[in-house]
Amino acid sequence: MTPQGKLLTAVIGLTALGGGLAAYKSHKLGVPFWQGERVDEWLVEAKVSFLATGKQVKARLSLPTDAVRKGSGQESGSLGYHYDEEENQDEYTAVWSAREREDTQALYYRVRFKQGLASGGEPRPALEKPAAPDVPKLPGSLGAAAQNIVNQAKSVSADPDSLFVALFRQINDASSSQEYVLVKRHYEKEAVVNPNIAMGIDLLGLAGIPARLAYGVRLSDENAGQAPIPLLEYYDGAFWKVRDPLEPSKLPDGREMFVWHRGGGPLLEVSGGVENSRVTFTVAKDRIPLATLTDLRDSPFLISTILALPVSERAVFRYIVLIPLGAFVVVIMRNLIGVPTLGTFMPVLLALALLEIAPLKAILMFSILVGAGLWFRFLLSRMNLLVVPRVAACVVIVTLLMMLMGVVSFQLGFSVGIKITLFPMIIIAWTLERMSLIWEEEGKRSALVQVTGSMVVAVCAYYFMNVSQIQYWAFYFPEMLLILLAGILLIGRYTGYRLSELIRFKTFKNA
């Protein structure tokens, strides 16, 4: 078979395979093909991780009661463990147990719910009246100061709600009275994990209001592996209510916060031969129905692909699946239009950085960084260094420049400067090296044209990758990347004139 025949066979095969899998997933498994058909739901995954030392292990994770009652919980990712759910007075706990586990272990529990105003922190009636809270044992003047604080807060409060707000506003205020500062320092010296919350619980106890720790999760898919957010649950005489001590006057908003743990008690307990146990949460917006997702995981031929992974692992692919799209734009811009660039990866990785920083600000920071780095690179060239030490020196200089720009922009009040770390440092260092070599061998015009072309291609790739429908297809139909691969192979065989060359030689054609 000729090379052309092999190419056509590969293109047809890749297109048929990618299109066939996408059609099967859409028509047979019910995955919406168009973004407008999607179902927006939050998927919150708790990941319990620890280091097992070869002995028996038992892990207990408190579960959100409302989600378990509605049947929206999905236990997963606990291979080799026996799993069970315990119920005790309307509180649910996931229990994993196993014998002789070693190395790093990870257990997962997911809940899924529709976007809405309900946060899980709504007032809940008490099954029985709680016992009177323990009075904190504060020595000497500390006890008197704490009592004065409570008395002052009571004098401006009408009920437990307003007392909670008054106390925590003063606790969070850096310019609080000397009594607040004195008591706060005591809790900080006691090395309590959350001194402000521990102080608030004790002050509420002095006022006769039972209070206990609760934990929530911030509903944002930007931060993977977030730590649980400590909240406070207090009893107002009829209901248990949840509030964020950092925002005491604001009730939990279901669009921003999901309350995972209520009812007191520990959020996580791990016993047996384990070390460094912890729980983290990853939040993602799932855009396909739960029943469809279950069908996907059970489907043959790896149809589910990355959707079968835990949410915390799946979040890594949110940007990875966009890289082929950027590479496709680079191929079009270079091979069909004729825009010169510094390599293939540089425009793609810069486009990924643009997804996190506004393009104009990113281009400005990139220009400053490359300009300053290029100047230092020319200083290095006078020392006649070998290639590897010279590139290593460029990496060090770029790192220092990034740190300097981040600190200076923060001092000037521009928080966007801190995001400069999103620029691929190695790529910038290599760009400086390539650009300086081109400058010396082909002249400054050629170097400036190539770096400008790289920025133009990066911006084009950014706008292409930023199309929400494109992102949806890349994440939920990654098999369509095979069709993209077929397109790249076809373009790779094109040897005709580029668009820029047709414009450049237009005068010859007219002559």
Side-chain angles (χ1 to χ4, degrees):
M1 185 181 291
T2 63
Q4 188 174 4
K6 294 178 181 176
L7 175 67
L8 288 176
T9 303
V11 168
I12 293 172
L14 290 171
T15 305
L17 181 60
L21 289 174
Y24 175 80
K25 185 186 285 185
S26 178
H27 290 92
K28 289 292 183 181
L29 301 180
V31 179
F33 187 73
W34 298 101
Q35 191 183 18
E37 303 172 15
R38 69 186 185 189
V39 178
D40 280 329
E41 293 184 340
W42 284 114
L43 182 62
V44 181
E45 180 184 82
K47 178 182 179 182
V48 177
S49 57
F50 52 86
L51 179 64
T53 58
K55 300 179 182 176
Q56 61 182 14
V57 173
K58 188 173 186 179
R60 300 170 58 85
L61 175 69
S62 175
L63 302 179
T65 301
D66 292 340
V68 175
R69 282 178 181 167
K70 294 176 182 175
S72 54
Q74 311 166 48
E75 185 275 330
S76 63
S78 54
L79 294 176
Y81 281 81
H82 175 263
Y83 174 77
D84 197 9
E85 284 184 10
E86 287 184 1
E87 180 186 1
N88 182 20
Q89 296 184 346
D90 278 349
E91 302 295 340
Y92 293 86
T93 305
V95 182
W96 293 272
S97 58
R99 287 187 175 275
E100 298 179 357
R101 307 301 293 183
E102 289 184 327
D103 297 328
T104 302
Q105 304 289 306
L107 310 172
Y108 300 93
Y109 191 90
R110 302 170 185 162
V111 295
R112 180 179 169 129
F113 51 90
K114 290 185 177 180
Q115 289 181 268
L117 299 177
S119 66
E122 290 73 25
R124 181 185 295 174
L127 297 177
E128 57 184 22
K129 187 176 180 179
D134 296 332
V135 177
K137 298 177 181 179
L138 297 174
S141 59
L142 281 175
Q147 192 61 57
N148 285 338
I149 290 172
V150 172
N151 293 338
Q152 290 172 10
K154 276 185 172 179
S155 65
V156 295
S157 306
D159 52 25
D161 298 331
S162 53
L163 178 64
F164 182 95
V165 175
L167 283 175
F168 275 98
R169 273 184 178 167
Q170 288 293 326
I171 291 174
N172 297 330
D173 189 358
S175 59
S176 301
S177 66
Q178 291 185 351
E179 290 174 330
Y180 271 96
V181 175
L182 180 67
V183 178
K184 191 183 294 186
R185 284 179 181 172
H186 166 74
Y187 283 91
E188 291 172 350
K189 287 180 180 177
E190 291 292 319
V192 184
V193 177
N194 295 300
N196 285 2
I197 292 180
M199 176 180 169
I201 291 176
D202 283 350
L203 293 179
L204 288 170
L206 273 176
I209 300 175
R212 57 199 185 191
L213 260 177
Y215 289 96
V217 181
R218 191 77 63 192
L219 292 178
S220 168
D221 51 5
E222 297 295 327
N223 301 321
Q226 59 173 296
I229 299 172
L231 306 172
L232 209 58
E233 189 176 21
Y234 63 97
Y235 184 66
D236 70 349
F239 297 97
W240 284 100
K241 296 180 177 178
V242 176
R243 287 182 187 246
D244 186 351
L246 296 178
E247 297 178 320
S249 60
K250 183 180 178 182
L251 295 174
D253 188 341
R255 294 166 297 185
E256 302 173 356
M257 177 78 71
F258 175 69
V259 179
W260 182 279
H261 171 62
R262 299 182 64 172
L267 171 64
L268 172 67
E269 280 184 304
V270 184
S271 58
V274 297
E275 298 175 357
N276 301 327
S277 61
R278 66 170 186 159
V279 57
T280 56
F281 294 91
T282 301
V283 180
K285 268 187 179 178
D286 236 337
R287 302 177 189 279
I288 56 178
L290 178 60
T292 303
L293 188 62
T294 304
D295 292 341
L296 273 175
R297 293 199 180 101
D298 297 337
S299 61
F301 311 122
L302 298 176
I303 297 294
S304 61
T305 56
I306 55 179
L307 296 178
L309 296 173
V311 180
S312 55
E313 316 298 337
R314 199 196 309 172
V316 178
F317 290 92
R318 190 177 61 167
Y319 288 120
I320 290 179
V321 294
L322 299 180
I323 292 178
L325 303 177
F328 180 67
V329 173
V330 174
V331 170
I332 290 177
M333 296 294 284
R334 285 191 58 155
N335 290 57
L336 298 184
I337 299 180
V339 179
T341 63
L342 290 170
T344 304
F345 289 108
M346 179 206 170
V348 177
L349 296 180
L350 284 180
L352 285 177
L354 295 181
L355 290 173
E356 295 295 329
I357 315 175
L360 288 178
K361 293 177 181 176
I363 292 173
L364 177 63
M365 288 192 293
F366 178 78
S367 302
I368 295 173
L369 201 60
V370 169
L374 200 59
W375 184 72
F376 280 107
R377 168 63 183 81
F378 282 126
L379 291 180
L380 292 175
S381 65
R382 297 177 183 176
M383 302 177 189
N384 294 327
L385 301 176
L386 296 177
V387 175
V388 174
R390 197 169 58 209
V391 173
C394 280
V395 171
V396 175
I397 290 172
V398 169
T399 305
L400 294 174
L401 286 174
M402 283 183 166
M403 293 170 61
L404 181 65
M405 285 191 66
V407 172
V408 170
S409 61
F410 178 76
Q411 295 295 334
L412 294 176
F414 302 113
S415 59
V416 69
I418 300 173
K419 293 184 177 179
I420 197 171
T421 53
L422 294 172
F423 281 125
M425 185 178 61
I426 302 300
I427 292 296
I428 290 181
W430 192 248
T431 298
L432 295 176
E433 179 68 18
R434 287 277 309 271
M435 195 173 170
S436 63
L437 290 177
I438 294 172
W439 192 302
E440 292 172 355
E441 295 173 359
E442 303 177 16
K444 64 179 179 182
R445 183 179 180 280
S446 178
L448 292 175
V449 166
Q450 290 195 31
V451 76
T452 304
S454 299
M455 286 306 302
V456 171
V457 173
V459 171
C460 292
Y462 157 75
Y463 281 110
F464 183 65
M465 293 190 295
N466 204 31
V467 177
S468 56
Q469 182 65 60
I470 298 292
Q471 293 181 353
Y472 177 80
W473 281 336
F475 194 80
Y476 289 95
F477 293 90
E479 55 276 353
M480 291 182 69
L481 293 177
L482 295 175
I483 301 176
L484 196 74
L485 174 60
I488 292 175
L489 294 180
L490 276 179
I491 296 175
R493 285 283 296 181
Y494 178 73
T495 56
Y497 286 106
R498 299 164 181 165
L499 181 61
S500 60
E501 291 170 339
L502 290 176
I503 298 173
R504 182 181 174 187
F505 298 118
K506 184 179 180 182
T507 53
F508 290 97
K509 183 180 179 183
N510 294 334

